[in-house]
Amino acid sequence: MGEKSQPVTMADVAARAGVSRALVSIVVRGVPGASPASREKVLRAAAELDYHPDQRARLLGAARSRTLGVVHDLRQPFHGELVESLYAAVERDGRGGAGWRLALEPTAPGRPPATAVRALLDHRCEAVLLLGPTSPAAELARLAERLPVVVLARAVEAAGVDVVRTDDEAGARLAVEHLLALGHRRLAHLHGGRAPGAAQRRAGYRAAVRAAGVRAELVAGGPGEADGQAAAPRLLHPDGPSAVLAFNDACAVGLLAAARAGGTAVPGRLSIVGYDDSAVASLPSVALTTVGQDAAALAEHAVARAVARAEDPRAPAAETVVAPRVVQRRTTAPPA
Amino acid sequence: MGEKSQPVTMADVAARAGVSRALVSIVVRGVPGASPASREKVLRAAAELDYHPDQRARLLGAARSRTLGVVHDLRQPFHGELVESLYAAVERDGRGGAGWRLALEPTAPGRPPATAVRALLDHRCEAVLLLGPTSPAAELARLAERLPVVVLARAVEAAGVDVVRTDDEAGARLAVEHLLALGHRRLAHLHGGRAPGAAQRRAGYRAAVRAAGVRAELVAGGPGEADGQAAAPRLLHPDGPSAVLAFNDACAVGLLAAARAGGTAVPGRLSIVGYDDSAVASLPSVALTTVGQDAAALAEHAVARAVARAEDPRAPAAETVVAPRVVQRRTTAPPA
DNA sequence: CCACACTACTAGAGCGCTCTAGGCCTAGAG
DNA sequence: CTCTAGGCCTAGAGCGCTCTAGTAGTGTGG
């Protein structure tokens, strides 16, 4: 119903304030070169006209876009958290001229990463952040020849690609230490086999139990609920462990369901620790103690790396490792 | 490491193909006005130079941006699904000149909807799609005076605002019909009190059970797991219903956990239907039969409405109601 | 043979900004 | 009094496209 009026441009503001367009530009960008008096005059005119600079023109006119492209997966809740933290990081960020913006491009079944990246390149962003990309390392390396690439939350080795990820080895170690602190002395790790990250988690677990000199076993699991369920018989016998570190939350939930169905009290008789702090873990009926990634720290580092490399194209790629933390809920307690 | 070369522009392609820039524009846009011969010549030159039009310039130069802004909540898995379907809808869309694009702007704690909408306006998109907005109706109406606004997945009454939502009354009715078809004759609805949508779901339930003439009760629940858990005593007695429709999935899961903990077989002794088809419902250890929204249909209608109103600003706002569907999993079965 | 229509193409003016180069003015130094 | 320095401001040339107007060239019918 309302009248959709012509959008007001910089020229309108300049006319109203009685100055040149260039001066309006100086004022709205907040750069030095205008007297306080005319600055105030321009800002008032802008406010009165409800002027808002056209991003398209701003981006085109400026030599640099100061835009970071983000490729994320809509189906992964953790990506949501990361994106959220990326916005926080980019808005807080003050170093090096400030004013970076984010451009989001999701992937999904039917929308491959290549499409998302293409869209970002077409918007001429200066660097891309890929969240848990599934693309082969060679493809990432190829992309990294065109612009700075930062991979988040996946351990890849690709030439020229920055990686910011969580230290899975430390995560497993922290989980073991949490269980030891509770008094557990008979531990087991329901490991993830060949799933991504599984090797590091196993290594962390092994190192931690060895250091503590406690009884510990390793049981084959996997990344799904079914894997946890299937492993139940090997863990739930009278002589079994008093605490289990599962490969991930799904696997832990499978084990948890089997344990409860079989009458094993959790955490009374068995403590269970998941990994990932996914949405399931925080459900009231699950309340799984788990190892969570520090989304804020990952985002902070990723933005810092992307900006640094965009500012200086000759800066070398680097790997940044962030420590995870144990999120204690209600599946761990001192042994009976 | 790699040489970040100057991006290639339309002029480069024109020079290589030996034609004018205007002709290159005609060819890359795919509009009529070029002979097959020069079309091919231009496309080859473009391919050889790996030319990709600069979106910023394209958007600035064109009279219309043909961009739909999307405001979504990163924490809501269903929004992810919707966005996914929006991409599918917009890419498939052929009517009216085609070629619409999406611009995503997420909301999150720390990033209010106003910020997201502002960003979209600054990009000069032609309409905005708001997913489950929490803003007051008056604010939506105000925004609708500036450009077409389509609200998805929330029932609001605001002047000039298009609404595309799921028919909650039909959803409850479908759930009851599913239970009746299984042979249940003693039903209950664990309703949502004053939660959004609860009234419609109650109405649908009432209408369906009345039409069938079966025994049915109404028990107060709520939107959380705790509400489902708390209602368990009133539902799990020997003379209780053989099937329950819960207000939503969380409520259903609470009841489910209480039932299983108390030794009530689900679905053997009691069938449970949730509502929303949220992520919990599809967990293997839950496998909740539930009423799901048709994200694809919602997205399709939303895009159609947004495009229609952007093409014709005088078109009146409308409300579109989409039928939900029952997603059968493993918490419903014929009564014992 | 000329008007006419139609197709294939080009010139060039925007789109709304940014940003460099330069003008004007007032001071302070020499 | 001249010279330079610096603060404030403006003109105007891009940025890389789109799109209108207009110029050939090619048939077609009268």
Side-chain angles (χ1 to χ4, degrees), chain A residues 216-233:
Chain A
E217 49 184 323
L218 215 48
V219 175
E225 278 198 21
D227 298 306
Q229 211 131 17

Side-chain angles (χ1 to χ4, degrees), chain B residues 19 24 33 56 71 96 133 135 146 230 241 249 328:
Chain B
V19 299
V24 175
R56 302 171 302 174
V71 177
S135 333
R146 307 196 53 179
D249 288 345
Q328 184 166 8

Side-chain angles (χ1 to χ4, degrees), chain B residues 10 21 25 29 51 58 62:
Chain B
M10 187 165 267
R21 288 169 29 243
S25 174
R29 274 180 299 148
Y51 167 71
R58 177 169 270 199

Side-chain angles (χ1 to χ4, degrees), chain A residues 56-288:
Chain A
R56 303 169 302 174
R58 179 169 269 201
L59 255 24
L60 218 212
R64 308 187 38 189
S65 71
R66 287 186 197 283
T67 300
L68 302 179
V70 177
V71 178
H72 63 122
D73 184 339
L74 286 166
R75 325 203 124 194
Q76 302 228 285
F78 184 56
H79 285 196
E81 259 182 78
L82 278 175
V83 171
E84 210 174 303
S85 302
L86 286 172
Y87 272 99
V90 103
E91 268 152 29
R92 169 165 355 105
D93 187 76
R95 130 206 69 237
W100 285 78
R101 30 183 314 280
L102 251 40
L104 249 51
E105 284 293 337
T107 61
R111 192 160 199 275
T115 304
V117 168
R118 177 75 268 158
L120 291 174
L121 291 175
D122 290 351
H123 279 282
R124 305 293 188 258
C125 57
E126 297 190 35
V128 289
L129 309 180
L130 309 178
L131 310 196
T134 52
S135 334
E139 202 172 300
L140 299 175
R142 188 142 26 87
L143 181 61
E145 288 172 13
R146 308 196 54 179
L147 84 177
V149 173
V150 178
V151 165
L152 259 96
R154 179 179 161 218
V156 273
E157 298 230 1
V161 173
D162 261 87
V163 174
V164 176
R165 62 176 180 84
T166 295
D167 187 344
D168 271 345
E169 208 167 317
R173 185 162 38 75
L174 287 172
V176 170
E177 284 165 4
H178 165 68
L179 293 171
L180 291 172
L182 286 172
H184 291 275
R185 291 297 175 267
R186 288 165 17 235
L187 307 183
H189 178 32
L190 184 51
H191 69 80
R194 313 153 54 85
Q200 290 96 313
R201 293 177 194 181
R202 256 191 318 265
Y205 169 81
R206 277 217 198 84
V209 294
R210 187 165 313 151
V214 300
R215 179 189 136 181
E217 49 184 323
L218 215 48
V219 175
E225 278 198 21
D227 298 306
Q229 211 131 17
R234 279 168 290 154
L235 290 162
L236 301 177
H237 52 89
D239 194 37
S242 67
V244 175
L245 166 62
F247 166 63
N248 66 9
D249 288 344
C251 182
V253 167
L255 175 62
L256 178 63
R260 287 190 171 148
T264 302
V266 176
R269 163 66 187 84
L270 182 72
S271 283
I272 300 180
V273 180
Y275 204 112
D276 284 344
D277 195 17
S278 57
V280 224
S282 61
L283 289 175
S285 58
V286 175
L288 183 68

Side-chain angles (χ1 to χ4, degrees), chain B residues 79-105:
Chain B
H79 285 197
E81 258 182 78
L82 278 175
V83 171
E84 211 174 302
S85 302
L86 286 172
Y87 271 99
V90 103
E91 268 151 30
R92 167 166 356 104
D93 187 77
R95 131 207 68 237
W100 286 78
R101 30 185 312 280
L102 252 38
L104 250 50
E105 285 291 338

Side-chain angles (χ1 to χ4, degrees), chain B residues 9-166:
Chain B
T9 79
M10 187 165 267
D12 300 323
V13 178
R16 175 155 195 141
V19 299
S20 69
R21 288 169 29 243
L23 187 57
V24 175
S25 174
I26 287 171
V27 171
V28 298
R29 274 180 299 148
V31 301
S35 69
S38 49
R39 198 170 286 276
E40 209 244 330
K41 192 167 55 181
V42 166
L43 288 177
R44 187 172 39 239
E48 285 167 358
L49 294 173
D50 192 29
Y51 167 71
H52 293 277
D54 186 324
Q55 283 292 341
R56 302 171 302 174
R58 177 169 270 199
L59 256 25
L60 218 210
R64 308 187 38 189
S65 71
R66 286 185 199 283
T67 299
L68 302 178
V70 177
V71 177
H72 63 124
D73 184 340
L74 286 166
R75 327 202 124 194
Q76 302 228 286
F78 184 57
H79 285 197
E81 258 182 78
L82 278 175
V83 171
E84 211 174 302
S85 302
L86 286 172
Y87 271 99
V90 103
E91 268 151 30
R92 167 166 356 104
D93 187 77
R95 131 207 68 237
W100 286 78
R101 30 185 312 280
L102 252 38
L104 250 50
E105 285 291 338
T107 61
R111 193 160 197 275
T115 305
V117 168
R118 177 76 265 158
L120 291 174
L121 290 175
D122 290 351
H123 279 282
R124 304 294 187 259
C125 56
E126 298 190 35
V128 289
L129 309 180
L130 308 178
L131 309 196
T134 52
S135 333
E139 202 172 302
L140 299 174
R142 189 142 25 88
L143 182 59
E145 287 173 14
R146 307 196 53 179
L147 83 176
V149 173
V150 179
V151 164
L152 258 96
R154 178 179 161 216
V156 273
E157 299 229 3
V161 173
D162 260 88
V163 174
V164 177
R165 63 176 180 84
T166 295

